[in-house]
Amino acid sequence: MTMADTTQFLSRREKIIANVAVILLAVMTLLPFLWFVIMSFKPVDQIFAGVSGLFFTPTLENYAGLVNERFVRSIWNSIVTSTVSTGLALVIGVPGAYALSRAGLKRDRSMSLLILASRMAPPVAFAIPYFLVYRTLGLLDTQLGLIIVYLTFNLALVVWLMRNFFDATPRELEEAAWIDGASLWGTFVRIVLPMSVPAVLTTGMLCFLYSWNDFFFALTLTRNSAMTAPVEVVNFMNYEGWEWGKIAAGGTLIMAPVLVFSLLMRKYLVAGMTAGAVKG
């Protein structure tokens, strides 16, 4: 066997080992989620049946038990608060990040760190101040109250991520537009914003996932009317017993939009789109 054949053999063997390792890692990562989804289709008496529970007749009774006014309302609350807070964060944060990137302030990096500081502290540090203020303003157990909280945290994330994106984009495109007579706002809307759509979508996905999956603030600042889906699922754990079938079904319904949304947005990588923007 020549040196080239040996190198090729080792290369194939390394690829096989790498593929096997990736498959094992994927199985280990997805197994708890698959088990959770399968559990949502099991009859209640077979959820913890051990080995005998591996063979069962799928049922939709757990999902049928979720079709009630409270759970449907909680899903609607999650959709409204997540969508509106993400949209507002992008509308406010993207122009703010662009202005911060192009302003050339002496302390612009310190300002960016100050903006990001709101995401560094644990949520419990903000819970009591928000609760006391909301109680005074009458915002407890309202969709508006949750939207404000999510907007506060998502805005910091948008500014930080989009600032880094705008810093990496070539300014020659904007300067060329200015030479042609475009205004600053016109350059942002016609040149910069279309070029940054993938980055905006990626950032928006992260903001939406944060709002959709939030449990702590929704638990602290809501009671009944504005309760979101993650908190509503916990109500199936009561003094009469834990309704594991409904918990699994509710958790699966909560995970489904996140999974679909993530799969649709997976190709929008900021680094790849930045590199593509300077071609040609």
Side-chain angles (χ1 to χ4, degrees), residues 225-238:
S225 300
M227 184 177 294
T228 58
V231 180
E232 181 62 33
V233 169
V234 179
N235 288 331
F236 295 123
M237 304 177 185
N238 49 57

Side-chain angles (χ1 to χ4, degrees), residues 94-213:
V94 173
Y98 177 72
L100 195 61
S101 174
R102 297 297 188 260
L105 300 176
K106 293 182 179 180
R107 298 184 179 274
D108 54 355
R109 184 60 60 178
S110 300
M111 188 178 300
S112 298
L113 289 174
L114 182 62
I115 293 174
L116 189 65
S118 61
R119 295 302 302 268
M120 296 179 180
V124 69
F126 303 94
I128 295 178
Y130 270 116
F131 181 85
L132 295 177
V133 172
Y134 277 20
R135 186 178 62 178
T136 302
L137 298 178
L139 291 176
L140 285 177
D141 200 21
T142 63
Q143 291 181 349
L144 178 60
L146 284 181
I147 290 173
I148 293 174
V149 173
Y150 297 155
L151 174 61
T152 303
F153 289 91
N154 285 338
L155 188 58
L157 182 64
V158 171
V159 172
W160 179 261
L161 293 179
M162 292 304 301
R163 159 70 189 277
N164 292 333
F165 174 83
F166 290 135
D167 285 345
T169 56
R171 302 194 182 192
E172 289 78 6
L173 298 176
E174 301 166 47
E175 293 172 353
W178 295 338
I179 293 175
D180 291 337
S183 63
L184 181 62
W185 178 253
T187 301
F188 174 74
V189 173
R190 298 177 183 178
I191 305 297
V192 178
L193 198 57
M195 186 174 61
S196 61
V197 165
V200 172
L201 291 176
T202 303
T203 304
M205 179 184 69
L206 296 176
C207 294
F208 181 86
L209 294 181
Y210 166 78
S211 303
W212 181 267
N213 294 327

Side-chain angles (χ1 to χ4, degrees), residues 212-233:
W212 181 267
N213 294 327
D214 172 69
F215 177 82
F216 182 79
F217 286 112
L219 177 66
T220 306
L221 302 177
T222 65
R223 294 295 179 269
N224 296 303
S225 300
M227 184 177 294
T228 58
V231 180
E232 181 62 33
V233 169

